[in-house]
């Protein structure tokens, strides 16, 4: 019995969500649309199998084909990122980061990571997280010009002697000099970690610097620019293999989600194709077009612009807060997320900024010309945040526009 017959409530919600995805413009930089093959693997019978352990060393019988699937995912990820060891079992980005800390830093040890409002992530040690009670996180910030402050990182590393120096961000739009961080870490005897969740797809395509050959450990999600299923992964040097694998299982997780791992394997195969490189290049070109549109229209871009897929911008010069802009854009059929800007004087629930990105619209085939139109609509919607009639008219235009970029044709639940 299919979903529609058995559970109309879920079926209707899924169909409405599908319509929302098809009719709107998805500009949240951490979201994307997976391929039909990835979607099929997620719904496959691999979900039925328990496989605690690792390929060839499981605590359950009947894992032969599951081993084939997980080993393919591991081997493909190793090749894609030039990694010595890969663990594909982390359930998502936050569990991957937690496992990385468990593997490499004793409780009470010191971790030097980026402040949340300057582009870091909650799991990089924000005081509201439990992990901030387990490890001693010290946060660095960007320079007043909005760039990574390598000199300050060096100074703080010398002062605090961290066990681990962490780079890689959720709201930062510039390139990272991993070699420079490695030099600083070596000087103070720290290990190095990069959280490449946002930019993994750009790195896989060779469109951004790759930390994996340089750093001790790299964590990622698989569902952002990498365009795979919702999940996580850890890549590390051989000497950390045992500690990482033990931290993931049995340290923190139970049975791996092998349907998701099958989908990861497929996504890694897709990311190795020449067309994925073109996709990654287009993501960056599209972000650059939005950068110039918003510059021309008087927004304040954080970090001076973008080298990757995302933009963080202060919308208050246009008379709206981040929350008001997010709600107005939603009404106009454009999805973004409100976001703190560096040292934001406002609150996280109603910050000064919004964060936007191009991976999802680029997957739909939108290019430079379409970005100009999207940027214009976004500006109009933010300026008219109190005008529901205007927002509804933009929504109708967006709907007509997106029908030219079909998504999951013939899919229904
Ligand atoms: N929630 C993700 C993002 O949107 O960047 C990071 O965890």
């Amino acid at each position: 019995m299919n979903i529609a017959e058995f559970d109309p409530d879920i079926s209707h919600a899924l169909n409405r969500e599908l319509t929302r995805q098809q009719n709107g413009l998805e500009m949240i930089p951490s979201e994307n649309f997976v391929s039909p093959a990835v979607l099929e693997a997620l719904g496959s019978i691999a979900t039925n199998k328990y496989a605690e352990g690792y390929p060839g060393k499981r605590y359950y019988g009947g894992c032969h084909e599951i081993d084939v699937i997980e080993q393919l995912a591991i081997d493909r990820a190793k090749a894609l990122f030039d990694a010595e060891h890969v663990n594909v079992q982390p359930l998502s980005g936050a569990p991957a980061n937690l496992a990385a800390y468990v593997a490499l830093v004793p409780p009470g040890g010191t971790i030097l990571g980026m402040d949340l409002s300057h582009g870091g992530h909650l799991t990089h040690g924000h005081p509201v997280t439990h992990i901030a009670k387990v490890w001693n996180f010290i946060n660095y910030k960007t320079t007043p010009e909005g760039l990574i402050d390598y000199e300050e990182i060096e100074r703080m590393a010398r002062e605090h002697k961290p066990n681990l120096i962490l780079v890689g961000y959720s709201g930062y739009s510039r390139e990272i000099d991993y070699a420079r961080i490695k030099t600083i870490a070596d000087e103070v005897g720290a290990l190095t970690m990069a959280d490449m969740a946002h930019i993994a797809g750009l790195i896989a395509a060779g469109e951004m610097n790759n930390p994996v050959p340089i750093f001790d450990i790299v964590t990622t999600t698989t569902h952002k620019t990498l365009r795979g299923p919702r999940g996580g992964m850890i890549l590390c040097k051989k000497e950390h293999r045992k500690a990482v694998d033990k931290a993931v299982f049995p340290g923190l997780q139970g049975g791996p989600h092998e349907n998701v791992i099958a989908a990861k394997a497929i996504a890694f195969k897709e990311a190795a194709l020449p067309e994925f490189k073109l996709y990654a290049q287009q993501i960056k070109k599209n972000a650059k077009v939005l950068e110039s549109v918003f510059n021309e229209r008087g927004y304040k871009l954080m970090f001076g612009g973008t080298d990757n897929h995302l933009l963080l911008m202060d919308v208050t010069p246009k008379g709206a807060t981040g929350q008001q802009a997010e709600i107005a854009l939603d009404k106009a059929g454009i999805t973004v997320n409100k976001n703190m800007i560096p040292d934001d004087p406002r609150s996280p629930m109603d910050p000064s900024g919004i964060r936007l990105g191009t991976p999802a619209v680029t997957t739909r085939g939108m290019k430079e010309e379409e970005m100009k139109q999207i940027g214009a609509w976004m500006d109009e919607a933010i300026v008219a945040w109190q005008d529901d009639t205007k927002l509804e008219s933009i929504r109708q235009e967006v709907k007509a526009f997106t029908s030219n970029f079909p998504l999951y044709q013939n899919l229904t639940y």
Side-chain angles (χ1 to χ4, degrees):
M1 196 178 279
N2 63 27
I3 301 175
E5 286 165 11
F6 178 71
D7 196 337
D9 296 332
I10 292 293
S11 155
H12 292 155
L14 280 172
N15 284 324
R16 285 194 300 268
E17 171 59 13
L18 177 61
T19 303
R20 187 194 69 82
Q21 293 186 15
Q22 287 170 330
N23 291 354
L25 288 166
E26 183 48 70
M27 302 297 290
I28 293 176
S30 47
E31 294 192 14
N32 213 329
F33 301 113
V34 298
S35 69
V38 168
L39 210 49
E40 195 179 340
L42 282 171
S44 71
I45 45 75
T47 196
N48 297 333
K49 190 73 195 95
Y50 251 120
E52 283 174 12
Y54 290 101
K57 284 173 279 173
R58 304 283 190 183
Y59 291 87
Y60 287 80
C63 286
H64 182 264
E65 298 310 325
I66 292 300
D67 280 1
V68 171
I69 291 168
E70 188 165 333
Q71 195 58 54
L72 276 168
I74 292 167
D75 293 343
R76 288 175 184 173
K78 281 169 80 172
L80 198 55
F81 292 101
D82 195 12
E84 292 180 7
H85 178 67
V86 171
N87 187 310
V88 293
Q89 294 190 2
L91 301 175
S92 205
N97 284 349
L98 179 56
Y101 304 146
V102 168
L104 299 188
V105 187
T110 298
I111 301 171
L112 183 58
M114 177 80 97
D115 182 270
L116 179 68
S117 78
H118 287 244
H121 188 256
L122 282 170
T123 60
H124 298 179
H126 194 278
V128 299
T129 61
H130 182 74
I131 57 172
K133 298 188 176 77
V134 180
W135 292 282
N136 172 35
F137 284 91
I138 311 277
N139 285 150
Y140 57 88
K141 296 184 173 189
T142 51
T143 63
E145 297 74 41
L147 298 174
I148 296 177
D149 196 340
Y150 295 96
E151 278 161 29
E152 178 65 359
I153 294 174
E154 188 168 38
R155 192 196 63 70
M156 292 177 79
R158 285 178 180 154
E159 181 186 338
H160 297 285
K161 299 271 183 294
N163 301 71
L164 184 70
I165 301 181
L166 167 58
V167 300
Y169 315 109
S170 301
Y172 186 70
S173 49
R174 291 302 194 184
E175 186 54 279
I176 301 167
D177 186 347
Y178 300 104
R180 189 155 175 199
I181 296 290
K182 172 78 175 139
T183 305
I184 297 169
D186 284 348
E187 187 201 309
V188 299
L191 296 172
T192 43
M193 170 172 164
D195 176 347
M196 65 170 181
H198 263 261
I199 54 174
L202 302 176
I203 292 170
E207 290 299 314
M208 291 199 83
N209 294 341
N210 183 7
V212 177
I214 305 174
F215 271 30
D216 288 286
I217 195 162
V218 176
T219 57
T220 186
T221 52
T222 48
H223 50 269
K224 298 186 174 97
T225 48
L226 195 48
R227 210 164 60 181
R230 193 157 289 281
M233 171 163 73
I234 300 176
L235 310 94
C236 65
K237 294 287 180 205
K238 267 202 288 254
E239 63 256 39
H240 304 305
R241 179 179 64 82
K242 272 197 184 142
V244 164
D245 286 353
K246 266 176 68 182
V248 174
F249 173 83
L252 293 163
Q253 293 187 182
H257 295 184
E258 294 293 345
N259 57 322
V260 181
I261 290 174
K264 287 175 186 173
I266 293 168
F268 301 154
K269 184 170 181 173
E270 290 173 352
L273 296 174
E275 47 266 44
F276 194 86
K277 184 166 181 68
L278 298 178
Y279 165 64
Q281 288 170 339
Q282 192 65 50
I283 286 177
K284 287 169 62 183
K285 285 185 205 162
N286 286 351
K288 275 287 172 201
V289 174
L290 289 175
E291 175 190 295
S292 39
V293 171
F294 290 119
N295 265 330
E296 281 159 21
R297 288 177 179 250
Y299 290 83
K300 194 164 160 217
L301 300 183
M302 301 298 112
F303 319 119
T306 183
D307 296 326
N308 58 23
H309 63 300
L310 74 78
L311 287 161
L312 178 60
M313 61 189 198
D314 184 355
V315 294
T316 57
K318 305 295 277 193
T321 66
Q323 164 87 331
Q324 287 160 345
E326 181 192 288
I327 293 171
L329 287 162
D330 232 352
K331 288 181 182 170
I334 302 170
T335 317
V336 303
N337 66 280
K338 58 178 175 280
N339 213 100
M340 301 275 273
I341 59 170
D343 296 322
D344 202 323
R346 301 186 58 82
S347 72
M349 282 313 288
D350 192 7
S352 302
I354 59 170
R355 190 185 62 152
L356 56 127
T358 54
V361 289
T362 307
T363 293
R364 293 189 78 165
M366 296 175 196
K367 296 198 163 74
E368 288 90 329
E369 279 313 302
E370 285 79 28
M371 293 307 117
K372 289 181 193 159
Q373 177 61 73
I374 292 171
W377 276 326
M378 289 183 72
D379 176 41
E380 287 166 27
I382 291 167
V383 171
W385 67 271
Q386 298 176 90
D387 180 351
D388 280 355
T389 313
K390 173 71 180 169
L391 298 175
E392 174 57 23
S393 102
I394 297 174
R395 198 176 73 81
Q396 291 305 330
E397 288 180 64
V398 166
K399 188 174 168 192
F401 173 87
T402 51
S403 67
N404 297 317
F405 299 90
L407 180 66
Y408 302 127
Q409 281 169 295
N410 306 319
L411 184 63
T412 184
Y413 293 100

